[in-house]
């Protein structure tokens, strides 16, 4: 029993000593304590500290917004094919803004290939090829002409010689749809024969110059990168 009383008194004394030591260490304010975390003011505090750091540090600087000459570099390829300040240049720039991948020189080359494919597909009555390259309205017009030709048992013999000139003469944005108009001068050997094989139009041995004004279009928001022929006009 005496041992129990002595042990109890020992632990009580030890507890009192520990309590006072902890109070001396944790219970006093030194003036360096962190304030309680406030989620509503923490963001503003960090922004304030960030601004102070930016003002005091001359080495780190914020990136500058591109403009002026740097923006003009985006239109270098356009200025090469259309004089700056013209309506054509403005139209091409608008297309470039809507579709950063647009390149006028690359477009011209693609349009030349499409022109040859369309001319030859029309002569051969190749509806499948035409459907992939023409808008619905233009396709229906071409197919209607092919149907009438086939009803009369007429055939076109055509040989594509080449393209002499191809240039962009018009450009504009219609909503999200880009429209580019091309003037194309080509050379073609073409003759139409009737059901008896007699030539009723053209000349199978003469190279003829053909002048066309064609307009191609595509929706700049669509995933399909291909342009389609939406309007045709023969230039006299």
């Amino acid at each position: 029993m005496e041992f129990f009383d002595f042990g109890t008194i020992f632990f009580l004394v030890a507890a009192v000593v520990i309590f006072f030591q902890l109070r001396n260490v944790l219970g006093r304010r030194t003036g360096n304590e962190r304030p309680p975390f406030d989620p509503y003011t923490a963001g503003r505090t960090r922004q304030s500290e960030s601004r102070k750091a930016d003002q005091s540090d001359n080495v780190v600087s914020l990136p500058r917004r591109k403009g002026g000459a740097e923006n003009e570099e985006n239109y270098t390829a356009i200025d090469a094919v259309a004089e700056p300040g013209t309506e054509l240049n403005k139209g091409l720039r608008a297309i470039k803004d809507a579709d950063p991948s647009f390149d006028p020189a690359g477009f011209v080359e693609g349009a030349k290939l499409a022109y040859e494919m369309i001319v030859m597909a029309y002569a051969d009555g190749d509806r499948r090829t035409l459907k992939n390259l023409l808008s619905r309205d233009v396709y229906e017009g071409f197919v209607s002409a092919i149907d009438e030709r086939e009803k009369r048992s007429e055939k076109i013999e055509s040989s594509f010689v080449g393209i002499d000139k191809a240039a962009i003469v018009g450009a504009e944005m219609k909503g999200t749809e880009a429209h580019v108009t091309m003037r194309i001068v080509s050379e073609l050997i073409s003759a139409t024969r009737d059901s008896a094989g007699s030539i009723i139009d053209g000349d199978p041995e003469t190279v003829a110059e053909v002048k066309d004004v064609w307009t191609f279009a595509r929706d700049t928001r669509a995933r399909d990168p291909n342009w389609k022929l939406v309007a045709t006009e023969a230039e006299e």
Side-chain angles (χ1 to χ4, degrees), residues 80 115 183 203:
Y115 179 87
R183 179 179 183 271
D203 188 337

Side-chain angles (χ1 to χ4, degrees), residues 170-209:
E172 63 178 329
M173 287 293 300
K174 293 183 177 181
T176 62
E177 196 169 66
H179 288 246
V180 178
T181 300
M182 295 278 300
R183 179 179 183 271
I184 301 174
V185 179
S186 64
E187 291 185 341
L188 188 70
I189 299 174
S190 180
T192 302
R193 297 181 182 274
D194 61 17
S195 58
S198 301
I199 297 174
I200 58 176
D201 187 34
D203 188 337
E205 298 180 356
T206 301
V207 176
E209 184 180 71

Side-chain angles (χ1 to χ4, degrees), residues 54-73:
D54 290 340
Q55 293 173 357
S56 61
D57 190 347
N58 294 326
V59 177
V60 179
S61 60
L62 295 175
R64 294 176 298 176
R65 180 177 297 178
K66 294 183 178 180
E70 294 180 4
N71 279 342
E72 287 300 315
E73 291 180 0

